[in-house]
């Protein structure tokens, strides 16, 4: 079946574009001696994680334990979980996962570090440990190199944890001096920063430029999205994931309604200076200016489109990760011919 | 098990509050002789749809055919689908649904009306038909009473469709004169507007005030959310649906990170004048100022909270409908004691 025969809304993945995107990021990392740990929160698909591993990735990154469990069950055994794991239930699950697989985790507090150590030691398991650092993003993470070194030293002294290094999200830029100072302080404790991990596609292709980065966790590069188009990391042609939608109403000459609303495209604005909720391929000048749960309103007054009810369009979403999370399945194609239909196996794994 | 023992993030539903909310809206409708057609896109749960029917609802409203199929399979057989159904595959599904159940649909164009009629007549089935009117909202819908009357007359003349009336979303207000004029024009065609259907919880309790409304499609009243608190339709105490989350990081004295991000709460802003991404119960003055997919950042500088890692909190989301759509299951409780765990059966039904 060809894409234009799919019922809508439908999430489609261009496998050839995915291969190009994987190859490009892996080549970049190889060239600079950086280990690639692709973040699977973008695709949530074991088959694509395996493609990334076959291309040369060192392991995969997951954001939640539930994602890691899905990937491990699909044969992906080297996993970095970049979220603090808190609570007895999750700690028991982590211990079970770590007993069979090569797992590393992050944290930014003594409370989480001690909880991890207690649960893992009790279960006779161990995990790698990276200190999460807030080097300017203002999300989670220790605030100073001194705090990073102290937490690293604590982890190194406790059973069940093997100190491995430092982890940050590199935007806004500021991790170079932070990492360098933390390295010095950790060296005073006799600890080596084997892993200096940064994330993100927007700065992915400049990860070699400073800061002694040893590994990169990038996610969105694999599919691209409108934010990637805006920041120049992925071209329109390489945007592999698209939402197919149908024109269901044309209430006025300027307004077209398509059947992919916030339940198919998300209200996540991404990082797109011109606003709107997605790029309609083939309708240059059109703007998705409003989303309801099942409706997207498209202003076509600025474009030459002559839409008819029943027409189908492809939309490149602003932010691909939450888009994938809304869909139960993806239609995988090569050159427009559907070659597979994959369940989004790690969708909705919030725990 | 009590709520505080649930692993997080977890979606919880207070069944006693749901009963109060159902009773209040049904009483209002009974008092004014308005038929209540609760919109199930809010809860997506057959068990709650049955509670609404037992309380006196006339039928249920669904936004997509896939939702209607789930509800029909769960024994809910009177269904209004308030979305234009386009495409052969969906039309065949509609015909199958209509062969066994009492179904009505809406449309705003001749193309959709003719498509519906052809498919239903071919299958020997028929559905009720309401003209979708754009009375000021600017989404889908015919633009004038004249167009509404013409489309109604067309539908009435075609096989497979039984003309039933008019449907609109009543905000911004303007449907009274629109509906009145359309009624007059339809009467000239010998057609009676048996169903004059308006939607929405914000204006739900004033549906009797004008416009000759015969039925109300309201959804969010059943759970409430922060938008309902803002517009005064549901109190904090009656907000039945909450997202439980755990404090996983406290990077600075003012910043708390909880484990329910946009994948648990949605980036949908709802209609909340003070902004932010949810109301943290018990933390007055706290603001959820930023969401990442798995992290919510809470500014606690304005409140007296002394949070500790591992604490759990309840968040009332800005907009309950897309929140429910993110979760595979809800934990149903009475007074904090979990009494059931229901799969969100109509989640993700975008087609």
């Amino acid at each position: 079946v060809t894409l234009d025969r799919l019922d809508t809304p439908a999430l489609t993945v261009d496998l050839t574009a995915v291969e190009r995107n994987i190859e490009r990021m892996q080549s970049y990392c190889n060239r600079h001696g950086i280990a690639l740990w692709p973040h699977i929160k973008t695709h949530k698909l074991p088959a694509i994680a395996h493609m990334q591993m076959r291309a040369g990735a060192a392991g995969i990154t997951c954001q939640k334990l539930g994602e890691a469990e899905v990937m491990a069950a699909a044969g992906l055994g080297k996993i970095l979980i970049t979220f603090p794991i808190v609570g007895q239930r999750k700690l028991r699950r982590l211990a079970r996962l770590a007993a069979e697989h090569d797992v590393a985790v992050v944290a930014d507090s003594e409370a989480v570090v001690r909880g991890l150590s207690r649960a893992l030691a009790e279960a006779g398991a161990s995990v790698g440990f990276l200190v999460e650092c807030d080097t300017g993003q203002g999300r989670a993470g220790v605030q100073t190199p001194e705090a990073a070194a102290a937490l690293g030293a604590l982890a190194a002294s406790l059973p069940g944890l093997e100190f491995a290094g430092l982890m940050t999200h590199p935007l806004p830029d500021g991790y170079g001096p932070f990492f360098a100072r933390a390295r010095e302080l950790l060296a005073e404790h006799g600890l080596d920063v084997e892993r200096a991990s940064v994330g993100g596609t927007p700065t992915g292709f400049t990860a070699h430029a400073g800061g002694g980065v040893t590994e990169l966790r990038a996610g969105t590069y694999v599919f691209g999205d409108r934010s990637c188009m805006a920041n120049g990391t992925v071209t329109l042609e390489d945007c592999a994931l698209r939402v197919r939608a149908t024109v269901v109403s044309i209430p006025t000459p300027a307004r077209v309604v398509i059947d992919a609303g916030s339940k198919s495209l998300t209200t996540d604005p991404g990082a797109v200076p011109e606003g709107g909720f997605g790029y309609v391929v083939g309708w240059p000048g059109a703007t998705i200016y409003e989303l309801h749960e099942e409706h997207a309103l498209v202003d076509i007054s600025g474009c030459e489109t002559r839409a008819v009810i029943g027409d189908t369009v492809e939309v490149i979403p602003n932010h691909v990760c939450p888009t994938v999370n809304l869909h139960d399945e993806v239609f995988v194609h090569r050159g427009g011919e559907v070659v597979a239909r994959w369940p989004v196996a790690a969708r909705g794994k919030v725990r």
Side-chain angles (χ1 to χ4, degrees), chain A residues 54-345:
Chain A
R54 282 197 298 273
I60 61 168
T61 305
C62 296
Q63 202 66 359
K64 286 279 174 99
L65 192 54
E67 293 177 337
E69 289 167 337
V70 169
M71 291 294 152
L76 294 139
K78 283 189 73 180
I79 305 176
L80 170 63
I81 304 173
T82 46
F83 196 85
I85 294 174
V86 173
Q88 290 313 310
R89 246 176 267 219
K90 289 196 184 78
L91 288 167
R92 281 195 295 271
R93 287 162 56 198
L94 175 66
R96 282 197 293 273
L97 191 72
E100 299 293 332
H101 301 92
D102 180 354
V103 178
V105 300
V106 306
D108 66 0
S109 68
E110 185 178 332
V112 174
V113 165
R114 289 197 184 275
L116 287 165
S117 170
R118 207 173 302 122
L120 290 159
E122 230 167 63
S126 79
V127 298
F129 178 77
L130 287 76
V131 180
E132 179 164 6
C133 303
D134 178 1
T135 60
Q137 195 199 24
R139 192 166 69 180
V142 297
Q143 298 297 298
T144 63
E146 289 71 24
L151 195 63
L154 174 68
S157 75
L158 294 174
L161 297 176
E162 292 157 19
F163 175 74
L166 305 170
M167 168 262 174
T168 190
H169 194 285
L171 278 177
D173 185 38
Y175 69 93
F178 189 115
F179 271 19
R181 179 66 184 139
R183 254 180 218 281
E184 286 173 11
L185 294 166
L186 284 158
E188 291 172 15
H189 291 279
L191 293 172
D192 188 26
V193 176
E194 279 173 41
R195 302 177 67 168
S197 169
V198 299
T201 292
T203 53
F205 292 105
T206 53
H208 66 287
V213 166
T214 68
E215 61 185 59
L216 173 66
R217 315 175 315 275
T220 56
Y221 77 95
V222 75
F223 283 158
D225 56 21
R226 198 161 161 244
S227 298
C228 289
M229 285 167 59
N231 68 34
T233 50
V234 179
T235 63
L236 170 59
E237 193 185 29
D238 287 344
C239 280
L241 183 132
R242 302 179 181 196
V243 177
R244 287 195 75 86
T246 298
V247 173
V248 294
S249 167
I250 307 177
T252 75
R255 188 199 318 159
V256 163
V257 182
I258 61 176
D259 62 353
S262 66
K263 259 178 66 185
S264 298
L265 285 171
T266 92
T267 41
D268 192 316
V272 180
E274 58 271 49
F277 295 98
Y279 178 84
V280 186
V281 179
W283 288 11
T287 304
I288 302 180
Y289 65 97
E290 194 174 308
L291 293 184
H292 298 262
E293 281 151 82
E294 308 290 2
H295 304 74
L297 308 188
V298 191
D299 179 354
I300 58 163
S301 61
C303 74
E304 315 242 315
T305 306
R306 280 184 42 84
V308 174
I309 286 173
D311 281 354
T312 55
V313 293
E314 282 186 344
V315 181
I316 296 175
N318 282 6
H319 187 186
V320 73
C321 312
T323 304
V324 171
N325 188 55
L326 291 170
H327 293 261
D328 289 343
E329 58 182 356
V330 295
F331 296 88
V332 181
H333 71 96
R334 288 199 185 268
E337 186 71 29
V338 176
V339 295
R341 187 172 170 165
W342 291 337
V344 184

